[in-house]
Amino acid sequence: MQAHTISLDQAWYWKERDTSIAQVKDEIKPKTGTSVLSDKWSPATSFPSEIHVELIKAKRIPDPFIGFNEHAVQWVGERGWLYCTLFDVKSEDREKKFHTLVFEGLDTICDVYLNGAQILAADNMFRTYAVPVPSHTLKDSGNQLLLHFLSAKRLAKALEKQFGRVRAGSTNLGDPSRVYVRKAQYCWRWDWGPELMTCGPYRPIKLISYNIRIDSVHARALVSPAPELTPSLVVDATLSGDASLFHSIAIILRDRRGCLLRIGQVVNRAGDATARSSVHEFQGIVKWSLGDIVELWWPVRYGAQELYDVEVSILDKNGVALDAHTQRIGFRRVELIQEPLQEADRHGKGTTFLFEVNGVRMFMGGSNWIPAHNFLTKLQPEDYRAWLTLMRDGNQNMVRLWGGGVYEPDCFYDICDELGILVWQDFQFACGVYPAHKKFVENVRLEAQDNVRRLRRHPSLALFCGNNEGKSSNPIQPSILTLLPDYQQVLQWGDVPDLPARLIYEDVLPSVVSRLCDDPPVPYHPGSPYGGQGWDTSDPTVGDVHQWDIWAGKERPWQEYAFRNGRFVSEFGMPSFPDTKTVDYWLDGDVKERWAQSRLMAQHNRAGSHERRFAIAMNENFRLTCDLETHIYNTQLMQSEAVSLAYRAWRREWRGKGKEFTAGALIWQLNDCWPVVSWSVVDFFRRPKPAYYTIARELEPISVGILRTVTQNRDNDRPKQFYEFGAFRSVGATLEVWGANSTLEARTVRLELRCFDLLSAWTHNEVLDAVLHPNQSTELLSIPCPCPPLPEGEPHAMTPSHSVVVGARLVAPESGQVLARYADWPQPFRHVDFPEPGLHVEVAGEKVSVRVEKPLKGLFLTVDTDGDSAEPEPVRWTDNALDVLPDDPQTVEMREARGKCVRLRAAYMGCEHGRIVHEW
């Protein structure tokens, strides 16, 4: 008889736990003489389910994303909640020998009862629980499954009382008791998210009835070292049940078009001997060399994302399938290379931290990912696809899944496989001194096993990382060093005497990864940031770094990104306001709060000291304003300028073999979990900010960069790019120009340098032919900044370059195609008198063409539609946030228009509030 799976996704009900009823089982009593639950139970509107979502739909709580409503729903996390369903089991299924209830995700503390008997006490949101169910406990109809969710918040405080209060981030990162509960840590609040203590069956539940079934498959897609790169396949399988019932195991390999590539069958020769156990391991069922049959999987822009299906079936003696399992795989070889550098950069030599895929060393440009919604059940596969497609279309090739969220559902990683986005997967530990008592460690071990087994098949998986920010960026006290002989793993505060979870990061997690991913191996990194034995985790010459001296930490100017690199920068960022429509969503019509420093704006900005930090960065760079739209635009332009500088300057440090001084940059952060002012480059409603587009240009296969260094008349501590009009006097400036080429072939280009003075008609042009070396940056030019001549008789006057805009283009000589553009403007922007640019906009179908008479900074195009403020961006722009120079028109496209487009708006420096430039 074939294995049969029932998805328990229908007829669920929920209610608040009634503490006046002593036994929770008594809450499930149906109406007298019926099998229908009492009126106190409400039907779930969807399944999987989360209790806040149900309460909102039932109008028992307001939307916590609007106004101050977050504070009105805190009681939800203090209560217990019940879910219940009644289900039938057909007699032919009940007659099978084995039954397993599988819970793919319970959030979080949950006692499970089947027909009145407790079968599970779950305490880990990240685990999959498979519970054997004896046949005699099941009925043909009316089986009662009751889930009792207890308050994770209350449990955390009880455990804190038992084990002691620890350090766990700043007050913006939730209550420290969170470290004791294996629940998504961002639920306790973070510096970009609300405190919403979710609960419920947030992933599927199913009943599997069987005599013999496939429990798991490990299709090991192997690739030999370069240069051979020969693919092969080894398949292992674990069966559950009575193994005497199956005759053979069949393996089929198909391509994504369904074409049969290889087939094999292995006869079960163990016979009745294997029936003594209910779990059976079969190693190396097939071992196929596939050199001429399959193609390699490559990250985006390096090749195709070839994927294959491995079909495993167990057959009876008549060839009838008793169970089947299909696993999608790709053949690739990924390695984390940490080797001595051949040359030194500004920080010294040290070692590399780079990813090599199929023998090719690659610069990683990407983002950090947080859960895209506080209520995970609101996310559908198409939402994940939309988010990850934004990454791919933005030329990003790596996503880091941060350690304070969740291990995402299978569809997330499937889409990464399809799009060619490499995955850096943190284990779920973030900014805290986690415990390491026996029960906690064993719980973590099982959690790691569940998720490593689930994720290891994905060709996109590039790294498992032990934790997020479990180590110090501060000087280490000698007394603490004696307790931490292997490396300086003290948290950010410098006063933590011990870190018990070293046992987890150094032993438990790497042991699980090496055992379950032995061949092919998946690299393991103990934490992020992490610099290795004896090294401070802020050391830029070893491991990865989180660059928070800009915005946070030392609060240095963002212009210093150019000099504050590391071997791999896995976090950095600058916050900004989201789209104005997103702001209006949380304001919900409250016009009295519609100003930048209002109480309601503070409710939707969780960054520590954001008032002071924004004031410093904004006042250094922009003129003060009381207009909200102008303020929003300025914050977005500042974010765009800051982070694009980081990508541009750090990609420059990818200088070739032995000189991979920076091998990757992952911005904090791609997305939001609610409408908020944050570091995201795309807001909660998937509306890209200007930074999204400028990052995309910096990560094009070919890019060009300029760094302007201003010379002052005396020593100073000002940003090197600033012109000074106060105590210091700017007397000159120099330009450095370079190109970056991520392709694997040299590229002949023509560099066109064009300069414009904002205060006169003066211009200057230069042309240079050059060759961009493959897979690295190439220095092109180093010259004094061209500028108008000094006024006669004023040899000590301010350098006229203070009003000069410098534009660089890389052009293909044979076709004239523009491969890359960049415009360098004088800084700070508050001292620049932006001219009226004479903007001309032409719309023809999906194409929007723009040209100017004078230089224009930061052209950001948006479309008004007849939709509401909660809808995603109504069009997908191929480019945006443009700097436009005279005689260099640019054309972008509006794709995938949704709703009726009504108006096209343009905002730019000098017209920050924006204006309508086209109406349909």
Side-chain angles (χ1 to χ4, degrees):
M1 298 175 68
Q2 295 178 332
H4 184 238
T5 299
I6 303 173
S7 294
L8 302 182
D9 56 2
Q10 301 295 319
W12 280 89
Y13 293 80
W14 60 271
K15 72 180 295 291
E16 183 181 342
R17 172 74 169 100
D18 185 350
T19 56
S20 69
I21 300 175
Q23 296 293 322
V24 68
K25 294 179 290 185
D26 293 338
E27 296 227 38
I28 202 174
K29 288 182 178 179
K31 295 179 181 179
T32 303
T34 73
S35 61
V36 179
L37 295 172
S38 70
D39 294 335
K40 294 182 179 179
W41 289 83
S42 299
T45 57
S46 61
F47 195 88
S49 176
E50 195 283 322
I51 198 62
H52 290 82
V53 176
E54 299 295 348
L55 289 166
I56 292 170
K57 290 182 177 179
K59 301 187 183 305
R60 288 185 54 184
I61 62 172
D63 183 349
F65 292 174
I66 291 176
F68 295 101
N69 291 344
E70 172 197 356
H71 305 288
V73 304
Q74 290 305 302
W75 63 272
V76 177
E78 301 276 354
R79 309 288 174 84
W81 296 94
L82 306 178
Y83 278 84
C84 179
T85 189
L86 305 177
F87 65 95
D88 301 336
V89 180
K90 294 180 180 179
S91 58
E92 56 264 34
D93 287 333
R94 287 187 58 235
E95 292 170 0
K96 293 183 172 72
K97 295 182 180 180
F98 304 97
H99 309 272
T100 302
L101 268 171
V102 180
F103 302 87
E104 295 185 13
L106 297 171
D107 178 14
T108 294
I109 312 304
C110 183
D111 294 336
V112 180
Y113 299 83
L114 177 63
N115 292 331
Q118 185 171 355
I119 61 171
L120 174 66
D123 61 355
N124 190 324
M125 180 179 181
F126 311 124
R127 282 177 58 185
T128 296
Y129 291 94
V131 183
V133 177
S135 297
H136 70 268
T137 63
L138 294 171
K139 302 181 292 185
D140 288 342
S141 63
N143 292 281
Q144 297 176 351
L145 185 62
L146 173 65
L147 312 179
H148 177 200
F149 290 93
L150 295 87
S151 170
K153 183 177 182 178
R154 289 180 178 273
L155 176 65
K157 296 305 290 185
L159 291 171
E160 179 183 67
K161 186 175 182 180
Q162 178 182 353
F163 292 105
R165 188 175 176 86
V166 298
R167 295 294 298 267
S170 66
T171 54
N172 299 75
L173 307 188
D175 192 271
S177 63
R178 62 180 170 80
V179 302
Y180 291 110
V181 178
R182 298 308 296 148
K183 175 178 173 60
Q185 301 287 270
Y186 80 113
C187 294
W188 271 267
R189 188 177 68 256
W190 220 261
D191 55 4
W192 36 256
E195 180 176 346
L196 292 169
M197 297 299 293
T198 57
C199 86
Y202 79 106
R203 286 188 179 159
I205 299 174
K206 57 191 177 185
L207 173 67
I208 307 174
S209 299
Y210 59 97
N211 292 320
I212 180 71
R213 75 178 181 100
I214 300 170
D215 185 67
S216 65
V217 170
H218 187 193
R220 294 189 273 145
L222 309 174
V223 177
S224 65
E228 289 79 11
L229 297 174
T230 302
S232 59
L233 177 65
V234 177
V235 178
D236 306 330
T238 300
L239 308 186
S240 295
D242 185 351
S244 67
L245 299 177
F246 85 95
H247 174 263
S248 60
I249 303 177
I251 311 291
I252 296 176
L253 177 66
R254 299 183 190 271
D255 65 19
R256 294 297 288 163
R257 294 172 295 277
C259 297
L260 178 65
L261 302 179
R262 288 290 295 269
I263 186 169
Q265 189 166 327
V266 176
V267 175
N268 175 22
R269 302 189 183 281
D272 293 337
T274 62
R276 300 191 188 104
S277 171
S278 62
V279 179
H280 319 279
E281 303 279 351
F282 293 87
Q283 303 291 323
I285 300 169
V286 296
K287 298 179 180 180
W288 291 334
S289 179
L290 301 171
D292 298 325
I293 298 177
V294 302
E295 301 292 334
L296 297 183
W297 180 95
W298 289 91
V300 62
R301 293 190 179 273
Y302 286 89
Q305 290 75 54
E306 298 290 350
L307 297 168
Y308 300 88
D309 288 332
V310 177
E311 301 172 6
V312 180
S313 302
I314 49 175
L315 310 175
D316 66 14
K317 61 183 179 181
N318 297 317
V320 176
L322 302 174
D323 197 13
H325 177 96
T326 299
Q327 191 167 100
R328 192 174 68 173
I329 61 171
F331 294 85
R332 62 89 180 97
R333 182 180 185 88
V334 61
E335 297 176 82
L336 175 62
I337 306 297
Q338 299 184 81
E339 64 185 18
L341 285 158
Q342 297 173 9
E343 298 186 19
D345 66 352
R346 66 175 62 87
H347 305 298
K349 273 194 174 182
T351 56
T352 64
F353 189 99
L354 63 88
F355 290 90
E356 181 177 293
V357 183
N358 300 335
V360 177
R361 298 183 173 202
M362 301 176 181
F363 182 89
M364 294 295 141
S367 296
N368 283 267
W369 169 272
I370 65 171
H373 207 295
N374 275 95
F375 309 135
L376 297 174
T377 59
K378 296 284 286 184
L379 295 170
Q380 301 301 316
E382 55 267 28
D383 296 309
Y384 292 109
R385 184 170 295 278
W387 278 109
L388 292 168
T389 299
L390 274 171
M391 285 195 69
R392 191 274 313 275
D393 292 348
N395 299 316
Q396 300 187 35
N397 60 6
M398 176 173 274
V399 59
R400 174 181 175 236
L401 279 79
W402 167 74
V406 297
Y407 307 94
E408 293 292 347
D410 292 337
C411 65
F412 183 99
Y413 306 93
D414 288 337
I415 296 166
C416 288
D417 293 343
E418 295 172 17
L419 299 181
I421 299 173
L422 291 170
V423 172
W424 169 318
Q425 177 69 62
D426 278 3
F427 286 99
Q428 295 306 303
F429 301 89
C431 304
V433 180
Y434 285 85
H437 55 267
K438 186 176 180 179
K439 182 180 178 181
F440 187 88
V441 170
E442 183 57 24
N443 200 355
V444 168
R445 189 192 312 276
L446 295 172
E447 165 195 324
Q449 289 176 177
D450 284 351
N451 288 284
V452 170
R453 284 195 180 103
R454 181 168 67 93
L455 302 182
R456 64 187 175 185
R457 69 175 176 85
H458 291 280
S460 58
L461 182 62
L463 182 77
F464 281 116
C465 181
N467 67 79
N468 172 78
E469 292 185 356
K471 306 165 182 70
S472 175
S473 59
N474 291 337
I476 307 302
Q477 302 171 14
S479 60
I480 297 176
L481 279 174
T482 62
L483 298 172
L484 303 173
D486 295 327
Y487 54 82
Q488 300 171 0
Q489 191 177 5
V490 180
L491 292 176
Q492 302 159 343
W493 316 283
D495 60 355
V496 177
D498 195 8
L499 193 65
R502 287 179 58 208
L503 173 66
I504 295 172
Y505 311 143
E506 299 175 23
D507 182 8
V508 175
L509 297 179
S511 296
V512 169
V513 172
S514 63
R515 176 169 56 85
L516 298 179
C517 303
D518 59 332
D519 197 7
V522 176
Y524 176 81
H525 189 50
S528 182
Y530 176 71
Q533 182 176 353
W535 294 93
D536 188 336
T537 57
S538 64
D539 186 340
T541 69
V542 181
D544 70 316
V545 299
H546 291 186
Q547 183 45 270
W548 287 114
D549 280 340
I550 293 167
W551 171 261
K554 299 176 182 178
E555 298 182 10
R556 301 301 302 163
W558 58 259
Q559 287 80 5
E560 292 189 11
Y561 271 135
F563 320 108
R564 291 181 176 269
N565 61 311
R567 296 298 172 249
F568 195 106
V569 186
S570 48
E571 279 190 25
F572 71 101
M574 177 68 67
S576 75
F577 269 70
D579 189 285
T580 304
K581 292 187 289 293
T582 302
V583 175
D584 285 335
Y585 175 84
W586 76 60
L587 288 172
D588 196 30
D590 191 344
V591 295
K592 292 182 179 180
E593 294 291 317
R594 202 177 186 276
W595 50 289
Q597 295 171 290
S598 73
R599 294 165 294 182
L600 200 43
M601 296 299 184
Q603 161 69 12
H604 289 262
N605 190 343
R606 300 309 174 88
S609 303
H610 65 86
E611 302 91 345
R612 177 167 50 83
R613 289 170 175 171
F614 258 130
I616 293 171
M618 292 291 290
N619 288 358
E620 280 186 332
N621 292 280
F622 297 92
R623 299 178 185 182
L624 301 179
T625 180
C626 293
D627 179 67
L628 179 62
E629 281 78 6
T630 298
H631 180 75
I632 290 173
Y633 174 88
N634 285 346
T635 67
Q636 292 180 347
L637 186 71
M638 178 176 68
Q639 179 192 44
S640 173
E641 291 290 302
V643 301
S644 62
L645 168 64
Y647 279 99
R648 183 166 58 254
W650 296 343
R651 190 177 175 193
R652 183 189 188 186
E653 298 306 313
W654 180 256
R655 295 179 181 266
K657 186 70 178 294
K659 296 180 289 184
E660 301 100 336
F661 302 126
T662 299
L666 308 179
I667 193 170
W668 187 270
Q669 60 211 60
L670 175 70
N671 59 321
D672 285 321
C673 64
W674 74 318
V676 68
V677 177
S678 80
W679 294 265
S680 72
V681 296
V682 183
D683 77 21
F684 176 72
F685 294 113
R686 289 203 303 273
R687 296 177 178 131
K689 302 177 185 179
Y692 169 80
Y693 300 100
T694 54
I695 292 170
R697 290 199 292 273
E698 298 301 339
L699 294 177
E700 285 279 3
I702 304 291
S703 67
V704 63
I706 302 173
L707 179 65
R708 185 185 315 209
T709 302
V710 180
T711 304
Q712 317 297 350
N713 63 348
R714 60 182 66 124
D715 291 340
N716 64 91
D717 59 355
R718 304 293 288 150
K720 294 182 180 181
Q721 299 94 320
F722 272 18
Y723 287 93
E724 295 296 334
F725 296 85
F728 310 113
R729 197 74 165 167
S730 300
V731 296
T734 59
L735 301 177
E736 298 171 30
V737 185
W738 66 92
N741 176 11
S742 65
T743 75
L744 305 184
E745 295 182 354
R747 188 67 186 263
T748 300
V749 298
R750 184 174 68 245
L751 170 65
E752 298 178 351
L753 201 69
R754 304 169 67 232
C755 305
F756 301 86
D757 183 33
L758 298 177
L759 303 180
S760 70
W762 176 91
T763 62
H764 175 84
N765 298 327
E766 291 190 28
V767 176
L768 174 70
D769 290 327
V771 175
L772 300 183
H773 300 302
N775 199 17
Q776 66 173 79
S777 65
T778 302
E779 298 297 308
L780 298 178
L781 201 61
S782 180
I783 59 171
C785 181
C787 62
L790 282 168
E792 292 186 11
E794 299 184 33
H796 303 294
M798 180 81 174
T799 171
S801 66
H802 74 84
S803 56
V804 171
V805 178
V806 182
R809 299 199 314 178
L810 294 181
V811 178
E814 63 280 1
S815 66
Q817 177 190 2
V818 178
L819 304 174
R821 289 183 178 89
Y822 176 66
D824 180 76
W825 288 68
Q827 297 185 59
F829 297 145
R830 60 189 164 88
H831 289 327
V832 177
D833 293 322
F834 292 94
E836 168 52 47
L839 172 64
H840 300 271
V841 178
E842 296 180 4
V843 178
E846 292 186 339
K847 294 184 177 181
V848 178
S849 299
V850 297
R851 57 185 175 86
V852 296
E853 299 169 10
K854 293 184 179 180
L856 178 152
K857 177 67 184 174
L859 175 63
F860 194 55
L861 301 169
T862 56
V863 171
D864 294 340
T865 69
D866 53 7
D868 63 38
S869 61
E871 292 295 323
E873 184 65 12
V875 300
R876 182 171 66 84
W877 293 97
T878 56
D879 202 357
N880 210 332
L882 307 170
D883 288 357
V884 189
L885 301 182
D887 302 319
D888 187 17
Q890 299 185 46
T891 298
V892 298
E893 294 183 18
M894 303 180 296
R895 296 178 179 171
E896 302 173 7
R898 295 179 296 274
K900 181 182 178 182
C901 296
V902 178
R903 290 173 294 273
L904 177 64
R905 294 181 181 272
Y908 47 89
M909 291 300 288
C911 183
E912 297 88 349
H913 185 93
R915 64 183 178 89
I916 297 171
V917 294
H918 181 80
E919 293 189 78
W920 282 275

